[in-house]
Amino acid sequence: MRNSMKLAILAIVAAGCCALYLFHELNGSFDYALPRRVLKVLAMVITGFTIAYSTVVFQTITHNRILTPSIMGLDSLYLLLQTVIIFFLGSGHTIIVNKQLNFLISVAVMIVFALLLYKFLFKKGGQQIYFLLLIGIIVGTFFSSISTFFQVLIDPNEFQIVQDRMFASFNNINSDLVWLAVGIVGMVTVYAWRYLRYLDVLSLGREVAINLGVPYDSIVKQMLIIVAIFISISTALVGPITFFGLIVANLSYQFFKTYKHHVLITGAVVMSIIALVGGQWVVERVFTFSTTLSVIINFIGGVYFIYLLLKERKAA
């Protein structure tokens, strides 16, 4: 089966999941329930798009299929930032109350951190996958430890607000925040589209890409900025989903078996929409909110992550 046919089938399934989530048991409540469901679906589409796109690009740049931006510590940084703000400024501060301001500050801080981390990790090039993985785990653990320290000392009433931000949630989404994210993602996507054709060459390696006339350092730097923006937006919008990008990116590689990134990225995005929208419908209708989608994704992703590590070790 050709990849175009596979993409068409996945797109139909994704559209079916969205339609099921939007109209199942709507019971004529078009004025109240439908706008809220549309908002949640839009948030899930944005999250799926940004995570899938950033993960495939990041793995192309690092030349491996295990590392993801989330594993490199961005999720832990987001939780640390929220904890520190509430600990020192309180839950009634403008930065916490004003979700748009909190969103922009979170994205800006995470982008700065990501660029600093990427600069030190990639300036010499040729780093081994396990070294990069070790650095990411150390950074993530360090941020998590500091967050835990402040959470122990924080007021119990304000800890509830921190706890709400520790897990990804699509149930309480601010409409203005979604539209702000749509605007930023739209502008960044238009800018990034021109560089999509370089990814096929970048996957061949630094030396080959340079020999073929690709401005490697410039392209990689701009791709890393785009990755940082996308993963920051998804984390600040719904919360951390550590292993989701790992799942959809590797499923796309296995399903399409091509080097063309416009196919891989599109496939990963459609798969992510199916997983998020369909998974959220199952959580709400089958499990009746007894668990959260992020818990299910992180459990499956953690098992899959261990499998990929063992597979990589066996191949080495």
Side-chain angles (χ1 to χ4, degrees), residues 135-146:
I135 294 297
I137 292 176
I138 291 174
V139 171
T141 304
F142 176 70
F143 288 152
S144 297
S145 300
I146 299 178

Side-chain angles (χ1 to χ4, degrees), residues 19-311:
L20 178 64
Y21 188 88
L22 288 173
F23 300 108
H24 181 253
E25 294 184 357
L26 190 60
N27 298 326
S29 182
F30 292 96
D31 295 333
Y32 178 78
L34 185 59
R36 286 161 177 77
R37 293 187 183 185
V38 170
L39 196 65
K40 292 172 69 172
V41 169
L42 184 58
M44 287 184 276
V45 170
I46 296 172
T47 303
F49 175 84
T50 52
I51 292 178
Y53 188 102
S54 59
T55 302
V56 174
V57 172
F58 185 79
Q59 291 182 348
T60 298
I61 294 172
T62 56
H63 304 293
N64 73 81
R65 297 182 177 181
I66 295 180
L67 284 180
T68 68
S70 296
I71 292 176
M72 299 304 288
L74 283 176
D75 290 351
S76 301
L77 175 61
Y78 172 76
L79 293 178
L80 174 61
L81 178 63
Q82 299 302 314
T83 303
V84 168
I85 292 175
I86 294 177
F87 181 83
F88 287 103
L89 301 179
S91 59
H93 195 272
T94 305
I95 297 179
I96 298 298
V97 176
N98 190 325
K99 294 184 178 181
Q100 290 80 13
L101 180 61
N102 183 282
F103 176 80
L104 294 175
I105 291 176
S106 300
V107 170
V109 171
M110 293 169 70
I111 290 173
V112 171
F113 164 76
L115 293 179
L116 290 175
L117 182 63
Y118 296 154
K119 177 181 178 181
F120 288 111
L121 288 181
F122 295 105
K123 66 178 181 180
K124 294 182 179 180
Q127 300 287 8
Q128 295 296 322
I129 176 175
Y130 291 107
F131 173 78
L132 298 176
L133 181 59
L134 178 63
I135 294 297
I137 292 176
I138 291 174
V139 171
T141 304
F142 176 70
F143 288 152
S144 297
S145 300
I146 299 178
S147 300
T148 303
F149 172 76
F150 284 115
Q151 289 166 13
V152 172
L153 301 177
I154 203 170
D155 182 86
N157 295 323
E158 296 191 334
F159 174 74
Q160 182 66 39
I161 300 177
V162 176
Q163 194 175 37
D164 292 339
R165 299 169 186 259
M166 293 174 64
F167 303 98
S169 174
F170 298 96
N171 295 322
N172 299 309
I173 300 173
N174 187 286
S175 59
D176 295 333
L177 208 59
V178 172
W179 294 116
L180 178 61
V182 169
I184 297 175
V185 170
M187 290 187 293
V188 175
T189 301
V190 171
Y191 175 81
W193 191 259
R194 70 183 74 177
Y195 299 105
L196 195 61
R197 65 182 185 273
Y198 290 111
L199 294 177
D200 297 339
V201 182
L202 291 180
S203 62
L204 299 175
R206 178 188 179 92
E207 291 75 15
V208 176
I210 293 176
N211 289 334
L212 292 175
V214 175
Y216 184 85
D217 293 334
S218 175
I219 297 298
V220 167
K221 181 179 179 180
Q222 295 182 69
M223 289 293 100
L224 291 176
I225 293 175
I226 293 169
V227 167
I229 293 174
F230 276 173
I231 202 66
S232 301
I233 288 175
S234 65
T235 305
L237 182 62
V238 300
I241 313 179
T242 305
F243 293 105
F244 184 64
L246 180 75
I247 298 173
V248 295
N250 281 276
L251 287 178
S252 181
Y253 299 144
Q254 296 178 14
F255 189 66
F256 293 102
K257 299 183 184 302
T258 181
Y259 67 91
K260 297 180 179 179
H261 279 74
H262 70 276
V263 175
L264 294 174
I265 292 176
T266 305
V269 168
V270 178
M271 288 180 179
S272 66
I273 294 173
I274 295 173
L276 290 180
V277 179
Q280 185 66 21
W281 182 86
V282 171
V283 166
E284 295 182 7
R285 304 298 175 180
V286 178
F287 295 109
T288 60
F289 294 100
S290 60
T291 185
T292 60
L293 181 60
S294 61
V295 172
I296 298 174
I297 290 175
N298 287 334
F299 172 75
I300 297 174
V303 174
Y304 191 47
F305 177 63
I306 295 174
Y307 163 75
L308 290 176
L309 280 179
L310 295 176
K311 182 180 178 182

